[in-house]
Amino acid sequence: MLSDDTAICLEGISKRYYLRSQRPQDLKTAVLHLPSFLSRDSSRKAFWALDDVSFSVKRGESIGVVGPNGSGKSTLLKIMADLARPTQGKIAVNGRVSALLELGAGFHPQITGRENAVLNAVLLGLSRREAEEVLPSIIAFSELGDFIDEPMRTYSSGMYIRLGFSVAVHVHADVLLVDEVLAVGDAEFQQKCFDHIERLHAQGVTIVLVSHDLGSVTRFCERAILLHHGRVQVEGKSQPVVHEYLSRIAAVLGHAVSS
């Protein structure tokens, strides 16, 4: 049970995936090794993307998650967004969640941007009436103009991003999950997105930001977490955590150069 001032609570979260071993390249190899390839255990190797992760996020807090590629950052956000289930552990989230993970991934290319905006707003938790009411704001923010009534198969990747972001930040969420999406798009729209996220934070929206842009982490987040090999290495105020991460990167690079 979450306390009134807690937005997200994770207790012992672990996530296991199975990696497929190399498959046979020809029929002869497959026949000769048929028993081993038919064996489930021999053809799959367990990989723990997250390993016993525990922390909580207060209501209205902005927290950054940093770490090298493969450290479990995106998996963590997918579990928070209920797009993936943990193998072990418990998670509780208080309020409506909006996730900026793969913007535009759920859009249908054959229907218009307007129709996709309404559909995705409903999928993010709004009623049809609420989606229609917020639609003018979504369209205005996206700056797509007349393209909003064109099929999305005619859109560029940047236009997908614009509409996806616009929908996600206009569903009146209590928790906003952001995964690197602001690294895409032109500089002017990026700044517009940053400014809007700051406004949401000022309004009390809880924000979890995953980014390799460490400047954004220190700018937006009071607190940060450093993940490595699926485990929490450091947790605290964002500036010291980012500094520790940079120190580790420098140590690895120094070792590589010296060797």
Side-chain angles (χ1 to χ4, degrees):
M1 192 73 172
L2 290 177
S3 62
D4 290 338
D5 66 342
T6 302
I8 306 170
C9 182
L10 300 94
E11 297 180 359
I13 294 293
S14 297
K15 179 62 177 177
R16 178 183 58 211
Y17 292 104
Y18 284 103
L19 306 179
R20 290 282 182 182
S21 62
Q22 187 174 4
R23 295 201 175 271
Q25 299 299 311
D26 53 55
L27 180 60
K28 179 181 178 180
T29 304
V31 171
L32 291 174
H33 298 86
L34 185 61
S36 63
F37 285 118
L38 291 178
S39 170
R40 184 178 181 181
D41 292 336
S42 65
S43 64
R44 303 201 306 170
K45 180 180 179 181
F47 168 74
W48 290 90
L50 295 173
D51 185 6
D52 194 24
V53 173
S54 299
F55 65 90
S56 61
V57 184
K58 293 181 179 180
R59 282 181 177 272
E61 185 179 19
S62 182
I63 184 168
V65 183
V66 300
N69 289 333
S71 60
K73 304 185 300 297
S74 294
T75 299
L76 181 63
L77 282 199
K78 287 178 180 178
I79 288 176
M80 290 182 182
D82 200 25
L83 297 176
R85 295 296 178 90
T87 306
Q88 298 172 358
K90 298 179 180 179
I91 178 170
V93 180
N94 202 343
R96 177 183 288 166
V97 176
S98 181
L100 303 175
L101 305 184
E102 298 175 8
L103 291 182
F107 288 149
H108 194 293
Q110 300 303 322
I111 64 177
T112 68
R114 183 186 301 273
E115 293 166 329
N116 269 297
V118 172
L119 176 60
N120 275 260
V122 171
L123 291 175
L124 287 171
L126 297 188
S127 66
R128 178 63 185 247
R129 180 179 178 179
E130 289 172 328
E132 294 285 358
E133 289 175 349
V134 80
L135 183 60
S137 296
I138 292 174
I139 295 173
F141 191 94
S142 70
E143 300 177 351
L144 290 175
D146 292 339
F147 280 100
I148 196 67
D149 290 309
E150 295 296 325
M152 289 202 66
R153 56 182 166 76
T154 66
Y155 283 25
S156 67
S157 59
M159 294 164 74
Y160 263 78
I161 294 296
R162 284 174 177 266
L163 188 58
F165 183 93
S166 300
V167 172
V169 298
H170 283 90
V171 297
H172 309 302
D174 302 294
V175 177
L176 180 64
L177 309 177
V178 186
D179 186 7
E180 286 296 356
V181 294
L182 299 183
V184 183
D186 60 74
E188 183 178 351
F189 191 72
Q190 284 183 34
Q191 186 58 52
K192 184 177 181 178
C193 294
F194 285 135
D195 292 343
H196 193 78
I197 288 177
E198 285 187 325
R199 287 195 294 272
L200 292 176
H201 183 42
Q203 294 167 11
V205 175
T206 304
I207 296 173
V208 181
L209 171 66
V210 163
S211 181
H212 288 291
D213 181 358
L214 302 181
S216 295
V217 173
T218 55
R219 172 184 173 182
F220 288 110
C221 306
E222 299 96 350
R223 196 158 59 93
I225 289 172
L226 171 59
L227 280 181
H228 189 63
H229 293 312
R231 298 184 67 89
V232 175
Q233 301 292 308
V234 185
E235 179 182 356
K237 292 184 177 180
S238 59
Q239 190 69 49
V241 172
V242 166
H243 185 269
E244 173 64 21
Y245 180 36
L246 291 173
S247 297
R248 294 187 180 205
I249 293 174
V252 170
L253 292 175
H255 178 73
V257 170
S258 63
S259 58

